Structure formats: C-alpha cells, structure tokens
Amino acid sequence: MKAPSTSPVTRLILERSDPGTLGVLPRVTKPEMVRHLAPVDINLLQAKVSRLSEMAWAKEDEGKPNRFPCFHHTQHILFRFIPDNRNAANFVSYPSWPLWAPLLLPVMQSAIVPYNFTRPVFPKVMLARLLAKRHIDLHRDGAGANLHTHKIHVPLQTNDAVRFQFANAQFQLHVGEAYEVNNITRHGGYNDGDEHRVHLIFEVFDAAAATKMNS
C-alpha cells in the first residue's frame, strides 16, 4: 500500500528524524507468517489504554495518515509514523510521543530482546483498535520502508474470538506476548467477539546495521 495523498497529517509534528545520519538500511528477514518473540510486562500501558475514552479514540483516529480501505473498522492512535513509506529512517514523532514513551518504550525494548540489536530505532508506533464484530481485510503493507523493518504486535486487549489471518492460516495472539508478523504478505484479522481488540503495533530496525553497511 502507498501512503494516501488525500489524507494529510492534521496534528502538529513534534520531531522529524534525520535520515541522512544513517544511510542505507539493510533488508530484514521476515517470518513466514508469525514469530513469537517474548512475554512483555504490559500492566502500566494496559491500564492507561483502558482509560482512553471513546472521544479520545475518535479524535486521534480522525486525522491519521494510514486511512486505507482495509482498515475501515479499525481506529488508530499514532505516536510515530513514516509519512512516505519509502525510508524507515525518515519518520516523524507526534506530540503524544513524549507523553506515552515512558510506558511504550519498556514494552517495545522487552519485545525486541531476541533480535539483540545494538541501536534499535522505532520509526512507527501506534495503538490499533479493531472494533467488536468487525474485521480487517486481507492486504499487504507494501514494499519501501516495510522491507527494512520488523513489524511487531503486542496484544493489550483481546478475546477468544479474535484471529490474526493470512491467506491460508489463522493465529491467536495472546495478551502480554510480543509477535513479529510478516506484513509484506497478505494478512488481516477479525474480531468476532463482543469486546474491542487493542494492539500495540510498532516497527523497529537496528541503526548499527546501517552504519556497518556504510563504513
């Protein structure tokens, strides 16, 4: 999927990265479908997410840049994003990032321990809420920056009727566990339960790997 040109980011951008300091990022190896990474402590983050009002979800979702048709039943709260989806090092941070980072970073850093990264960078961070009795269409996230990052899901709220879906397989992702998903193959999901499903979703790459390539 290419970034839509008709859905501008409406919130003020707090910080832009400096992609020129990294150079070329290597292509990462994706799992075939889903790879379990590690258990993570989500208690503090989960508590804050549970206190978000319907108004907060609606307001944050209103101006999102990832307004693709496949997400028609999903609400997002963005903290970081890659606007053009071309260079993972060219990302923006929103004003909410420093407010949430103390809760988000410990979860994300625990999730990526299996990668043994030297200088992890998180260019895309968001909360995604799939509404009850709704689904996400099968889709590919596309090439570009997605070829150079690992995409991680951490369920914060789910139920037994939620599945992460590929063309020929389905997976149940459990609360408090981190998973890498293959986002460049067709994937989606459904929530047949009576409660909304909320995931922390983020992408990561190792800046040290880029430095080595250009040394």
Side-chain angles (χ1 to χ4, degrees):
M1 298 184 300
K2 295 182 179 180
S5 59
T6 57
S7 297
V9 178
T10 57
R11 284 175 291 161
L12 294 175
I13 293 170
L14 172 72
E15 169 194 1
R16 289 186 180 273
S17 63
D18 181 7
T21 62
L22 290 177
V24 179
L25 299 175
R27 182 165 178 166
V28 302
T29 300
K30 305 277 186 176
E32 182 180 359
M33 286 180 280
V34 174
R35 174 192 175 190
H36 176 258
L37 293 175
V40 290
D41 183 355
I42 62 169
N43 289 335
L44 295 178
L45 176 59
Q46 190 181 47
K48 180 161 184 173
V49 170
S50 70
R51 294 193 296 268
L52 288 169
S53 67
E54 291 298 322
M55 183 179 296
W57 278 104
K59 182 178 180 181
E60 292 291 331
D61 186 70
E62 192 174 50
K64 67 184 180 184
N66 57 332
R67 190 172 296 281
F68 300 108
C70 59
F71 297 138
H72 44 134
H73 302 305
T74 310
Q75 296 174 308
H76 295 89
I77 297 177
L78 270 61
F79 305 109
R80 281 183 167 178
F81 199 71
I82 305 169
D84 61 7
N85 195 40
R86 294 179 182 177
N87 183 356
N90 183 25
F91 60 89
V92 296
S93 299
Y94 296 109
S96 54
W97 168 248
L99 303 176
W100 284 77
L103 296 177
L104 294 166
L105 283 171
V107 175
M108 296 191 296
Q109 289 164 347
S110 295
I112 65 168
V113 165
Y115 298 123
N116 197 30
F117 285 162
T118 302
R119 290 171 53 203
V121 177
F122 304 101
K124 192 179 290 186
V125 186
M126 68 187 74
L127 299 173
R129 184 167 80 156
L130 176 57
L131 303 182
K133 306 297 184 183
R134 300 297 187 181
H135 70 280
I136 298 171
D137 298 336
L138 288 174
H139 64 282
R140 293 182 178 90
D141 288 1
N146 293 301
L147 300 177
H148 306 283
T149 63
H150 300 275
K151 186 156 192 174
I152 316 299
H153 280 241
V154 179
L156 304 178
Q157 176 180 309
T158 190
N159 61 74
D160 290 340
V162 171
R163 293 293 184 273
F164 198 94
Q165 187 175 15
F166 290 88
N168 299 307
Q170 298 178 356
F171 296 84
Q172 185 175 15
L173 309 186
H174 300 282
V175 166
E177 302 288 338
Y179 304 85
E180 180 181 0
V181 304
N182 187 336
N183 60 325
I184 59 174
T185 191
R186 282 170 57 82
H187 64 284
Y190 63 86
N191 179 5
D192 286 345
D194 297 321
E195 296 180 339
H196 303 323
R197 183 224 74 178
V198 181
H199 283 190
L200 165 63
I201 301 175
F202 66 92
E203 296 183 17
V204 62
F205 64 85
D206 188 3
T211 301
K212 292 173 184 176
M213 287 185 66
N214 292 279
S215 59

